[in-house]
Structures are given as structure tokens and as C-alpha cells.
PDB file of all heavy atoms in Angstrom:
ATOM      1  N   ASP A   1      -4.560 -15.446  -0.102  1.00  0.00           N
ATOM      2  CA  ASP A   1      -3.466 -14.988  -1.006  1.00  0.00           C
ATOM      3  C   ASP A   1      -2.078 -15.434  -0.597  1.00  0.00           C
ATOM      4  O   ASP A   1      -1.103 -15.036  -1.253  1.00  0.00           O
ATOM      5  CB  ASP A   1      -3.504 -13.469  -1.081  1.00  0.00           C
ATOM      6  CG  ASP A   1      -3.031 -12.832   0.222  1.00  0.00           C
ATOM      7  OD1 ASP A   1      -3.589 -13.109   1.280  1.00  0.00           O
ATOM      8  OD2 ASP A   1      -2.053 -12.033   0.156  1.00  0.00           O
ATOM      9  N   SER A   2      -1.916 -16.191   0.495  1.00  0.00           N
ATOM     10  CA  SER A   2      -0.585 -16.472   0.988  1.00  0.00           C
ATOM     11  C   SER A   2      -0.354 -17.929   1.248  1.00  0.00           C
ATOM     12  O   SER A   2      -1.257 -18.774   1.218  1.00  0.00           O
ATOM     13  CB  SER A   2      -0.426 -15.638   2.333  1.00  0.00           C
ATOM     14  OG  SER A   2      -1.044 -16.333   3.345  1.00  0.00           O
ATOM     15  N   GLU A   3       0.914 -18.200   1.599  1.00  0.00           N
ATOM     16  CA  GLU A   3       1.335 -19.564   1.957  1.00  0.00           C
ATOM     17  C   GLU A   3       0.681 -19.975   3.258  1.00  0.00           C
ATOM     18  O   GLU A   3       0.384 -21.173   3.461  1.00  0.00           O
ATOM     19  CB  GLU A   3       2.829 -19.646   2.091  1.00  0.00           C
ATOM     20  CG  GLU A   3       3.471 -18.991   3.293  1.00  0.00           C
ATOM     21  CD  GLU A   3       3.567 -17.474   3.179  1.00  0.00           C
ATOM     22  OE1 GLU A   3       3.083 -16.897   2.219  1.00  0.00           O
ATOM     23  OE2 GLU A   3       4.216 -16.854   4.108  1.00  0.00           O
ATOM     24  N   VAL A   4       0.376 -19.018   4.142  1.00  0.00           N
ATOM     25  CA  VAL A   4      -0.307 -19.298   5.370  1.00  0.00           C
ATOM     26  C   VAL A   4      -1.716 -19.831   5.081  1.00  0.00           C
ATOM     27  O   VAL A   4      -2.190 -20.772   5.733  1.00  0.00           O
ATOM     28  CB  VAL A   4      -0.358 -18.060   6.327  1.00  0.00           C
ATOM     29  CG1 VAL A   4      -1.227 -18.360   7.570  1.00  0.00           C
ATOM     30  CG2 VAL A   4       1.033 -17.596   6.681  1.00  0.00           C
ATOM     31  N   ASP A   5      -2.384 -19.240   4.117  1.00  0.00           N
ATOM     32  CA  ASP A   5      -3.707 -19.677   3.739  1.00  0.00           C
ATOM     33  C   ASP A   5      -3.720 -21.113   3.160  1.00  0.00           C
ATOM     34  O   ASP A   5      -4.622 -21.874   3.419  1.00  0.00           O
ATOM     35  CB  ASP A   5      -4.339 -18.672   2.783  1.00  0.00           C
ATOM     36  CG  ASP A   5      -4.473 -17.289   3.372  1.00  0.00           C
ATOM     37  OD1 ASP A   5      -4.861 -17.197   4.579  1.00  0.00           O
ATOM     38  OD2 ASP A   5      -4.135 -16.309   2.672  1.00  0.00           O
ATOM     39  N   ILE A   6      -2.708 -21.374   2.326  1.00  0.00           N
ATOM     40  CA  ILE A   6      -2.656 -22.715   1.762  1.00  0.00           C
ATOM     41  C   ILE A   6      -2.491 -23.795   2.861  1.00  0.00           C
ATOM     42  O   ILE A   6      -3.197 -24.803   2.858  1.00  0.00           O
ATOM     43  CB  ILE A   6      -1.446 -22.795   0.823  1.00  0.00           C
ATOM     44  CG1 ILE A   6      -1.593 -21.862  -0.414  1.00  0.00           C
ATOM     45  CG2 ILE A   6      -1.233 -24.256   0.335  1.00  0.00           C
ATOM     46  CD1 ILE A   6      -0.336 -21.644  -1.195  1.00  0.00           C
ATOM     47  N   GLN A   7      -1.616 -23.501   3.820  1.00  0.00           N
ATOM     48  CA  GLN A   7      -1.407 -24.428   4.916  1.00  0.00           C
ATOM     49  C   GLN A   7      -2.613 -24.531   5.853  1.00  0.00           C
ATOM     50  O   GLN A   7      -2.953 -25.610   6.349  1.00  0.00           O
ATOM     51  CB  GLN A   7      -0.165 -24.025   5.763  1.00  0.00           C
ATOM     52  CG  GLN A   7       0.275 -25.084   6.741  1.00  0.00           C
ATOM     53  CD  GLN A   7       0.563 -26.405   6.117  1.00  0.00           C
ATOM     54  OE1 GLN A   7       1.429 -26.467   5.212  1.00  0.00           O
ATOM     55  NE2 GLN A   7      -0.020 -27.508   6.585  1.00  0.00           N
ATOM     56  N   THR A   8      -3.251 -23.351   6.042  1.00  0.00           N
ATOM     57  CA  THR A   8      -4.470 -23.364   6.890  1.00  0.00           C
ATOM     58  C   THR A   8      -5.536 -24.221   6.264  1.00  0.00           C
ATOM     59  O   THR A   8      -6.141 -25.069   6.982  1.00  0.00           O
ATOM     60  CB  THR A   8      -5.026 -21.932   7.005  1.00  0.00           C
ATOM     61  OG1 THR A   8      -4.034 -21.112   7.608  1.00  0.00           O
ATOM     62  CG2 THR A   8      -6.297 -21.862   7.841  1.00  0.00           C
ATOM     63  N   ALA A   9      -5.726 -24.128   4.961  1.00  0.00           N
ATOM     64  CA  ALA A   9      -6.726 -24.902   4.269  1.00  0.00           C
ATOM     65  C   ALA A   9      -6.410 -26.432   4.423  1.00  0.00           C
ATOM     66  O   ALA A   9      -7.266 -27.283   4.667  1.00  0.00           O
ATOM     67  CB  ALA A   9      -6.872 -24.502   2.849  1.00  0.00           C
ATOM     68  N   ALA A  10      -5.136 -26.741   4.183  1.00  0.00           N
ATOM     69  CA  ALA A  10      -4.682 -28.138   4.292  1.00  0.00           C
ATOM     70  C   ALA A  10      -4.968 -28.661   5.721  1.00  0.00           C
ATOM     71  O   ALA A  10      -5.466 -29.803   5.889  1.00  0.00           O
ATOM     72  CB  ALA A  10      -3.217 -28.263   3.981  1.00  0.00           C
ATOM     73  N   ASN A  11      -4.648 -27.865   6.719  1.00  0.00           N
ATOM     74  CA  ASN A  11      -4.836 -28.303   8.076  1.00  0.00           C
ATOM     75  C   ASN A  11      -6.335 -28.460   8.467  1.00  0.00           C
ATOM     76  O   ASN A  11      -6.715 -29.254   9.299  1.00  0.00           O
ATOM     77  CB  ASN A  11      -4.176 -27.294   9.132  1.00  0.00           C
ATOM     78  CG  ASN A  11      -2.653 -27.349   9.029  1.00  0.00           C
ATOM     79  OD1 ASN A  11      -2.091 -28.296   8.497  1.00  0.00           O
ATOM     80  ND2 ASN A  11      -2.018 -26.241   9.446  1.00  0.00           N
ATOM     81  N   ALA A  12      -7.171 -27.631   7.791  1.00  0.00           N
ATOM     82  CA  ALA A  12      -8.628 -27.759   8.024  1.00  0.00           C
ATOM     83  C   ALA A  12      -9.323 -28.760   7.090  1.00  0.00           C
ATOM     84  O   ALA A  12     -10.500 -28.899   7.125  1.00  0.00           O
ATOM     85  CB  ALA A  12      -9.264 -26.373   7.860  1.00  0.00           C
ATOM     86  N   LYS A  13      -8.433 -29.428   6.243  1.00  0.00           N
ATOM     87  CA  LYS A  13      -8.936 -30.410   5.281  1.00  0.00           C
ATOM     88  C   LYS A  13      -9.983 -29.821   4.321  1.00  0.00           C
ATOM     89  O   LYS A  13     -11.032 -30.397   4.039  1.00  0.00           O
ATOM     90  CB  LYS A  13      -9.526 -31.608   6.062  1.00  0.00           C
ATOM     91  CG  LYS A  13      -8.479 -32.358   6.880  1.00  0.00           C
ATOM     92  CD  LYS A  13      -9.094 -33.562   7.611  1.00  0.00           C
ATOM     93  CE  LYS A  13      -8.022 -34.340   8.257  1.00  0.00           C
ATOM     94  NZ  LYS A  13      -7.132 -33.605   9.142  1.00  0.00           N
ATOM     95  N   MET A  14      -9.610 -28.596   3.783  1.00  0.00           N
ATOM     96  CA  MET A  14     -10.424 -27.907   2.812  1.00  0.00           C
ATOM     97  C   MET A  14      -9.622 -27.687   1.565  1.00  0.00           C
ATOM     98  O   MET A  14      -8.346 -27.620   1.553  1.00  0.00           O
ATOM     99  CB  MET A  14     -10.821 -26.549   3.393  1.00  0.00           C
ATOM    100  CG  MET A  14     -11.746 -26.638   4.550  1.00  0.00           C
ATOM    101  SD  MET A  14     -11.865 -24.952   5.339  1.00  0.00           S
ATOM    102  CE  MET A  14     -12.628 -24.002   4.065  1.00  0.00           C
ATOM    103  N   LEU A  15     -10.307 -27.505   0.453  1.00  0.00           N
ATOM    104  CA  LEU A  15      -9.700 -27.034  -0.735  1.00  0.00           C
ATOM    105  C   LEU A  15      -9.364 -25.565  -0.611  1.00  0.00           C
ATOM    106  O   LEU A  15     -10.025 -24.821   0.108  1.00  0.00           O
ATOM    107  CB  LEU A  15     -10.618 -27.215  -1.990  1.00  0.00           C
ATOM    108  CG  LEU A  15     -10.933 -28.664  -2.371  1.00  0.00           C
ATOM    109  CD1 LEU A  15     -11.924 -28.686  -3.548  1.00  0.00           C
ATOM    110  CD2 LEU A  15      -9.698 -29.435  -2.774  1.00  0.00           C
ATOM    111  N   CYS A  16      -8.322 -25.111  -1.358  1.00  0.00           N
ATOM    112  CA  CYS A  16      -7.916 -23.715  -1.258  1.00  0.00           C
ATOM    113  C   CYS A  16      -7.781 -23.126  -2.664  1.00  0.00           C
ATOM    114  O   CYS A  16      -7.152 -23.735  -3.548  1.00  0.00           O
ATOM    115  CB  CYS A  16      -6.573 -23.633  -0.557  1.00  0.00           C
ATOM    116  SG  CYS A  16      -5.931 -21.950  -0.332  1.00  0.00           S
ATOM    117  N   ILE A  17      -8.332 -21.932  -2.847  1.00  0.00           N
ATOM    118  CA  ILE A  17      -8.087 -21.128  -4.058  1.00  0.00           C
ATOM    119  C   ILE A  17      -7.147 -20.027  -3.675  1.00  0.00           C
ATOM    120  O   ILE A  17      -7.432 -19.288  -2.772  1.00  0.00           O
ATOM    121  CB  ILE A  17      -9.400 -20.541  -4.605  1.00  0.00           C
ATOM    122  CG1 ILE A  17     -10.351 -21.706  -5.009  1.00  0.00           C
ATOM    123  CG2 ILE A  17      -9.123 -19.674  -5.850  1.00  0.00           C
ATOM    124  CD1 ILE A  17     -11.736 -21.249  -5.389  1.00  0.00           C
ATOM    125  N   SER A  18      -6.001 -19.945  -4.367  1.00  0.00           N
ATOM    126  CA  SER A  18      -5.037 -18.858  -4.143  1.00  0.00           C
ATOM    127  C   SER A  18      -5.239 -17.722  -5.137  1.00  0.00           C
ATOM    128  O   SER A  18      -5.225 -17.942  -6.354  1.00  0.00           O
ATOM    129  CB  SER A  18      -3.658 -19.416  -4.259  1.00  0.00           C
ATOM    130  OG  SER A  18      -3.375 -20.382  -3.295  1.00  0.00           O
ATOM    131  N   VAL A  19      -5.496 -16.516  -4.593  1.00  0.00           N
ATOM    132  CA  VAL A  19      -5.694 -15.350  -5.428  1.00  0.00           C
ATOM    133  C   VAL A  19      -4.383 -14.664  -5.787  1.00  0.00           C
ATOM    134  O   VAL A  19      -3.420 -14.710  -4.932  1.00  0.00           O
ATOM    135  CB  VAL A  19      -6.662 -14.382  -4.784  1.00  0.00           C
ATOM    136  CG1 VAL A  19      -7.983 -15.043  -4.377  1.00  0.00           C
ATOM    137  CG2 VAL A  19      -6.078 -13.681  -3.597  1.00  0.00           C
ATOM    138  N   LEU A  20      -4.243 -14.103  -6.961  1.00  0.00           N
ATOM    139  CA  LEU A  20      -3.012 -13.592  -7.434  1.00  0.00           C
ATOM    140  C   LEU A  20      -2.920 -12.043  -7.457  1.00  0.00           C
ATOM    141  O   LEU A  20      -1.966 -11.428  -7.906  1.00  0.00           O
ATOM    142  CB  LEU A  20      -2.708 -14.107  -8.856  1.00  0.00           C
ATOM    143  CG  LEU A  20      -2.620 -15.602  -8.953  1.00  0.00           C
ATOM    144  CD1 LEU A  20      -2.374 -16.014 -10.414  1.00  0.00           C
ATOM    145  CD2 LEU A  20      -1.494 -16.150  -8.071  1.00  0.00           C
ATOM    146  N   TRP A  21      -3.936 -11.367  -6.834  1.00  0.00           N
ATOM    147  CA  TRP A  21      -3.930  -9.932  -6.778  1.00  0.00           C
ATOM    148  C   TRP A  21      -3.390  -9.462  -5.382  1.00  0.00           C
ATOM    149  O   TRP A  21      -3.395  -8.278  -5.113  1.00  0.00           O
ATOM    150  CB  TRP A  21      -5.331  -9.354  -7.058  1.00  0.00           C
ATOM    151  CG  TRP A  21      -6.368  -9.853  -6.074  1.00  0.00           C
ATOM    152  CD1 TRP A  21      -6.646  -9.406  -4.802  1.00  0.00           C
ATOM    153  CD2 TRP A  21      -7.338 -10.883  -6.345  1.00  0.00           C
ATOM    154  NE1 TRP A  21      -7.695 -10.106  -4.238  1.00  0.00           N
ATOM    155  CE2 TRP A  21      -8.150 -11.012  -5.202  1.00  0.00           C
ATOM    156  CE3 TRP A  21      -7.625 -11.712  -7.474  1.00  0.00           C
ATOM    157  CZ2 TRP A  21      -9.228 -11.928  -5.109  1.00  0.00           C
ATOM    158  CZ3 TRP A  21      -8.680 -12.610  -7.383  1.00  0.00           C
ATOM    159  CH2 TRP A  21      -9.421 -12.705  -6.228  1.00  0.00           C
ATOM    160  N   GLY A  22      -3.102 -10.402  -4.483  1.00  0.00           N
ATOM    161  CA  GLY A  22      -2.737 -10.018  -3.129  1.00  0.00           C
ATOM    162  C   GLY A  22      -1.289  -9.815  -2.892  1.00  0.00           C
ATOM    163  O   GLY A  22      -0.596  -9.201  -3.685  1.00  0.00           O
ATOM    164  N   PHE A  23      -0.756 -10.360  -1.784  1.00  0.00           N
ATOM    165  CA  PHE A  23       0.576 -10.013  -1.258  1.00  0.00           C
ATOM    166  C   PHE A  23       1.695 -11.010  -1.676  1.00  0.00           C
ATOM    167  O   PHE A  23       2.818 -10.813  -1.279  1.00  0.00           O
ATOM    168  CB  PHE A  23       0.517  -9.882   0.299  1.00  0.00           C
ATOM    169  CG  PHE A  23      -0.399  -8.854   0.768  1.00  0.00           C
ATOM    170  CD1 PHE A  23      -0.817  -8.841   2.098  1.00  0.00           C
ATOM    171  CD2 PHE A  23      -0.864  -7.760  -0.069  1.00  0.00           C
ATOM    172  CE1 PHE A  23      -1.672  -7.910   2.626  1.00  0.00           C
ATOM    173  CE2 PHE A  23      -1.727  -6.827   0.464  1.00  0.00           C
ATOM    174  CZ  PHE A  23      -2.148  -6.840   1.789  1.00  0.00           C
ATOM    175  N   ARG A  24       1.338 -12.085  -2.429  1.00  0.00           N
ATOM    176  CA  ARG A  24       2.313 -13.016  -2.776  1.00  0.00           C
ATOM    177  C   ARG A  24       2.255 -13.262  -4.292  1.00  0.00           C
ATOM    178  O   ARG A  24       1.159 -13.228  -4.890  1.00  0.00           O
ATOM    179  CB  ARG A  24       2.089 -14.377  -2.069  1.00  0.00           C
ATOM    180  CG  ARG A  24       2.117 -14.296  -0.608  1.00  0.00           C
ATOM    181  CD  ARG A  24       3.519 -14.006   0.035  1.00  0.00           C
ATOM    182  NE  ARG A  24       3.534 -14.132   1.457  1.00  0.00           N
ATOM    183  CZ  ARG A  24       3.343 -13.151   2.264  1.00  0.00           C
ATOM    184  NH1 ARG A  24       3.075 -11.918   1.849  1.00  0.00           N
ATOM    185  NH2 ARG A  24       3.397 -13.384   3.608  1.00  0.00           N
ATOM    186  N   LYS A  25       3.402 -13.648  -4.847  1.00  0.00           N
ATOM    187  CA  LYS A  25       3.497 -13.928  -6.315  1.00  0.00           C
ATOM    188  C   LYS A  25       3.177 -15.398  -6.605  1.00  0.00           C
ATOM    189  O   LYS A  25       3.311 -16.258  -5.748  1.00  0.00           O
ATOM    190  CB  LYS A  25       4.885 -13.623  -6.854  1.00  0.00           C
ATOM    191  CG  LYS A  25       5.248 -12.126  -6.778  1.00  0.00           C
ATOM    192  CD  LYS A  25       6.559 -11.859  -7.373  1.00  0.00           C
ATOM    193  CE  LYS A  25       6.950 -10.348  -7.213  1.00  0.00           C
ATOM    194  NZ  LYS A  25       6.039  -9.532  -7.977  1.00  0.00           N
ATOM    195  N   LYS A  26       2.735 -15.687  -7.860  1.00  0.00           N
ATOM    196  CA  LYS A  26       2.304 -16.993  -8.216  1.00  0.00           C
ATOM    197  C   LYS A  26       3.453 -18.025  -8.004  1.00  0.00           C
ATOM    198  O   LYS A  26       3.151 -19.157  -7.524  1.00  0.00           O
ATOM    199  CB  LYS A  26       1.795 -17.004  -9.664  1.00  0.00           C
ATOM    200  CG  LYS A  26       1.261 -18.406 -10.089  1.00  0.00           C
ATOM    201  CD  LYS A  26       0.699 -18.354 -11.461  1.00  0.00           C
ATOM    202  CE  LYS A  26       0.081 -19.663 -11.846  1.00  0.00           C
ATOM    203  NZ  LYS A  26      -0.520 -19.664 -13.262  1.00  0.00           N
TER     204      LYS A  26
END
């Protein structure tokens, strides 16, 4: 749900799905 997750996925060379019910806005 966060920018940390987006960067984590990129660093792990994975696709990332960002959920919109969590702690960050779209």
C-alpha cells in the first residue's frame, strides 16, 4: 500500500500491485 512497497518490488525485480484501501492515497 505504500511507496516503500513500490520501491521494494522494483529492487526485488518484481511486479507490484498497489492497494488503495491502505495508508497512502492514489
Side-chain angles (χ1 to χ4, degrees):
D1 72 303
S2 76
E3 73 282 7
V4 175
D5 299 316
I6 296 167
Q7 189 59 55
T8 301
N11 291 340
K13 297 179 171 54
M14 295 168 62
L15 293 178
C16 181
I17 299 173
S18 296
V19 306
L20 300 179
W21 59 79
F23 299 162
R24 302 289 189 268
K25 296 184 182 298
K26 184 175 183 178

